[in-house]
Amino acid sequence: MSEVKWTKEQRQVIESRNTNLLVSAAAGSGKTAVLIERIIELVLDEKNPIDINKLLVVTFTKLAASEMRERVSKAIEKNLKKIRKMNIFKNNYCSLAVLTSQLLTLFVKMF
């Protein structure tokens, strides 16, 4: 499998740290792939790994949320040896919060 060639803008999103991001682009432009790569790089960062249990990813549809969860799970499985070596997931627990924008809006209104 060949390595993905990210655009300059995609690479900026993937490598951005210590900030929240809004990724908006046309359908089929690679938003999901970029966000998954960002999540994996954040989690596998050897100097300052991010606890995946503290990430919140918001998408517009249930289908996109489901796809995001599945693709992140596959990426984590692919990197399982490195993850275990880094001892990232305490108590072998991993939960990535992926919400639809409608659910997030409801959540915000309730609180």
Side-chain angles (χ1 to χ4, degrees):
M1 190 169 146
S2 63
E3 191 169 319
V4 177
K5 302 234 189 276
W6 303 109
T7 66
K8 183 179 86 174
E9 291 81 7
Q10 289 171 323
R11 183 51 56 198
Q12 278 182 303
V13 169
I14 292 166
E15 294 175 352
S16 180
R17 297 292 183 265
N18 302 315
T19 187
N20 297 322
L21 291 176
L22 170 65
V23 177
S24 178
S29 62
K31 292 180 297 294
T32 300
V34 166
L35 288 173
I36 290 168
E37 183 69 17
R38 176 177 166 74
I39 291 165
I40 296 304
E41 286 195 15
L42 285 167
V43 169
L44 297 179
D45 187 312
E46 294 196 13
K47 292 180 182 173
N48 189 23
I50 300 296
D51 182 352
I52 198 167
N53 298 307
K54 295 183 179 180
L55 293 178
L56 171 64
V57 179
V58 179
T59 66
F60 285 101
T61 66
K62 289 179 185 176
L63 178 63
S66 176
E67 180 183 344
M68 178 81 67
R69 266 189 229 95
E70 183 176 328
R71 288 169 72 177
V72 168
S73 293
K74 286 181 181 179
I76 286 172
E77 284 177 25
K78 183 179 173 186
N79 290 283
L80 208 48
K81 282 184 182 178
K82 184 174 183 178
I83 289 169
R84 283 189 178 136
K85 191 182 286 185
M86 292 174 68
N87 195 25
I88 295 170
F89 302 135
K90 311 300 184 239
N91 303 320
N92 294 322
Y93 176 75
C94 168
S95 175
L96 175 65
V98 182
L99 303 176
T100 64
S101 58
Q102 296 90 350
L103 187 56
L104 181 63
T105 301
L106 177 63
F107 181 77
V108 168
K109 285 181 181 178
M110 289 175 62
F111 298 97

